[in-house]
Amino acid sequence: MTLLSPDSFIRADDVLQGHLSAAQATELEKQYGHGKLNRLLEVVGVGGPFKVKTPWELEDATGQRIINASGYAALPFGDNPPELNEFIQQVLQQTDQVMFAQQSITTWRAALESNLVKLLARESHDHHTSRVFFSNSGAEAIEAAIKFAQAARPKAKYLINFTRAYHGKTLGALALTPNPSLQGPFRNILNPAVITLPYGDAEALARAVARVGDQIIAVILEPILGEAGVRLPPPGFLRQVGELCRPKGIIVIADEIQTGLGRAGHWFESVAQGLTPDILTLAKPLGGGMVPVGATIVREEIYQPLLGNVETVKRHSNTFGGNTLAMAVGLKSLELLMDNDYPARSRRLGERGLIRLKAAQQRFPALLEDVRGAGMLFAMNFRPVAKLPLKFQANLISETTGILALVAFYRRGVLLNFSLNAARTMRLTPAMNMPEDLFGEMFDIVDAAAEAHPSSLKLVQNYGTPELLALGKAALIEK
């Protein structure tokens, strides 16, 4: 059978037994999937397919070993961690479990609901009576949060968000993500009643509350701006948000999808910064990198208007949210995080990693404009490879800078993350359980890559003219 034949169907066993080659998979992805993205990844040479050698190391098609610092904060234990893999097999072997549990009580969901509420209540000294709504992603958790907030304040109409925020790409979440390139052609169907304020500006929030406080449904914020390149707020800002909103009854939503459950060095970064949110959203690490899990934790009095009685109980639901496999993995992931105190480990290693990044920035200021970090969230902001006056040109240069930086560090042996709201910023989000020797080696590679490219111009020179032309063709010409 020729797997690339238009008339051929690919069987599961073909994939399981390795009969579908990397080259064939690449062609199929380009033809039937997200073709443009896959073509760009192919041209720059970072698109895989990869083999997982250890939870923290990959092998690409050329046999190169890569330390995986990508994963967008969704891999708390690395890729395909053995402890979760074995646990999932045990769960699946329990054949008496109802897997699709939308209309039934399940032990797994009950246990995870209980543990999440208890953990938040322990850290915030509040939320003891809160409730949990499960979904399949961070964006879905945000959508639920918006609906809970609006139902609790039905006469209010404004949502307040902040510059450079990222809350997701579904329509409600996208309305709260003030990025014109992401909102693009959807602006006419997004919620127009969104007030965007400068992130970290408590005085701007105070003015908005004084002006339209009774009409504000909720304030939504990330305790650290992830997709903006690990941007930390000024000290005291989150505490001030709570103090400004509480007297007016304005709901505060903490988007902890990237920072929550230990990644930034605390169980809940918003709480660590002095805020007690009314609604808190979680996702990425809760699924252990194995299954999609989103969670929206809501105060009882905010939960009730949306789902608190027979008349309203159908106003929000999620077909696969709370399914047994997801709940089991969520419960085990939370258990692993708690048993090993990964927030404390993230904080300790994060301090060490940030020292390494700051030293690299001081040695190579012509390459690294700035570096930032919080726990196991790190960011390197690269200087632009060129400066052009027009906005379109500046955007293109920023995108090119980011891509060339990604390639340069990949070729040295470490895979980084893009930042959706900061094109020249590459992030490192290594697994929270990455062995300390490998963690140190990762920063050795960062140092070596920076030394080989002591200025942004070197990113261009070392990439090569033919490759740049191929990249430009793939980005701007090819369909």
Side-chain angles (χ1 to χ4, degrees), residues 383-453:
R383 294 197 182 277
V385 295
K387 292 184 179 179
L388 295 171
L390 299 179
K391 184 176 180 181
F392 168 75
Q393 294 172 325
N395 290 341
L396 182 60
I397 289 298
S398 291
E399 295 286 352
T400 302
T401 301
I403 291 173
L404 295 182
L406 179 74
V407 173
F409 282 70
Y410 177 85
R411 289 178 173 178
R412 286 280 167 171
V414 62
L415 182 59
L416 308 175
N417 291 331
F418 283 110
S419 296
L420 289 174
N421 285 343
R424 289 190 287 113
T425 301
M426 293 290 112
R427 286 172 294 154
L428 299 93
T429 58
M432 285 187 269
N433 70 340
M434 179 178 280
E436 292 198 28
D437 59 343
L438 195 62
F439 184 80
E441 183 184 352
M442 178 179 70
F443 282 99
D444 291 341
I445 293 172
V446 168
D447 288 341
E451 189 167 4
H453 305 82

Side-chain angles (χ1 to χ4, degrees), residues 54-355:
T54 72
W56 319 280
E57 299 164 286
L58 307 174
E59 183 182 286
D60 67 13
T62 70
Q64 182 184 12
R65 168 183 170 266
I66 305 293
I67 295 178
N68 187 7
S70 68
Y72 293 88
L75 302 177
F77 319 117
D79 200 301
N80 196 15
E83 58 267 54
L84 270 184
N85 190 317
E86 294 168 6
F87 173 76
I88 289 171
Q89 294 182 49
Q90 292 175 354
V91 172
L92 294 177
Q93 288 169 4
Q94 293 183 1
T95 55
D96 62 341
Q97 293 289 324
V98 174
M99 302 305 291
F100 182 72
Q102 192 186 65
Q103 293 188 168
S104 63
I105 292 170
T106 75
T107 53
W108 292 108
R109 189 172 62 226
L112 184 55
E113 289 166 343
S114 174
N115 286 0
L116 286 174
V117 171
K118 289 176 182 176
L119 179 61
L120 179 55
R122 186 192 75 182
E123 298 299 307
S124 68
H125 307 294
D126 199 352
H127 279 279
H128 295 280
T129 60
S130 291
R131 295 178 179 268
V132 186
F133 183 89
F134 288 113
S135 54
N136 306 293
S137 68
E140 290 180 14
I142 293 294
E143 297 286 343
I146 294 170
K147 291 178 74 173
F148 278 116
Q150 177 69 91
R153 287 175 65 81
K155 295 182 180 179
K157 63 180 180 180
Y158 295 110
L159 291 164
I160 290 183
N161 66 342
F162 294 95
T163 51
R164 303 186 75 177
Y166 181 84
H167 298 292
K169 298 193 188 85
T170 52
L171 286 177
L174 186 59
L176 297 169
T177 299
N179 183 326
S181 67
L182 298 180
Q183 291 183 341
F186 317 112
R187 292 185 70 98
N188 65 325
I189 56 173
L190 298 177
N191 179 4
V194 175
I195 300 172
T196 300
L197 301 177
Y199 185 72
D201 191 339
E203 292 183 1
L205 177 60
R207 290 193 295 269
V209 170
R211 188 173 67 252
V212 292
D214 292 338
Q215 291 297 305
I216 298 172
I217 303 164
V219 173
I220 183 168
L221 53 76
E222 299 165 86
I224 295 171
L225 295 178
E227 293 297 338
V230 192
R231 301 278 178 177
L232 280 67
F237 172 65
L238 268 72
R239 175 182 51 78
Q240 290 174 292
V241 170
E243 291 172 350
L244 289 166
C245 292
R246 195 173 302 114
K248 291 283 189 178
I250 298 168
I251 294 167
V252 179
I253 303 169
D255 179 345
E256 293 257 18
I257 291 162
Q258 190 160 155
T259 57
L261 301 183
R263 169 67 60 178
H266 303 94
W267 284 110
F268 306 103
E269 185 63 25
S270 58
V271 175
Q273 292 192 35
L275 174 68
T276 303
D278 300 298
I279 300 175
L280 187 141
T281 59
L282 298 169
K284 293 179 182 293
L286 196 54
M290 299 290 277
V291 298
V293 185
T296 307
I297 308 177
V298 190
R299 289 190 188 279
E300 170 76 15
E301 65 271 20
I302 298 172
Y303 177 91
Q304 289 298 330
L306 182 65
L307 296 177
N309 60 61
V310 174
E311 292 182 0
T312 66
V313 72
K314 296 181 181 179
R315 282 183 175 169
H316 191 62
S317 62
N318 189 292
T319 301
F320 288 101
N323 73 82
T324 294
L325 181 60
M327 297 297 93
V329 173
L331 187 69
K332 187 65 174 181
S333 295
L334 188 60
E335 178 181 295
L336 291 171
L337 290 166
M338 296 182 72
D339 286 353
N340 295 283
D341 197 3
Y342 281 128
R345 188 176 194 270
S346 293
R347 193 162 59 249
R348 177 172 57 83
L349 290 184
E351 291 170 357
R352 186 187 306 176
L354 187 56
I355 289 172

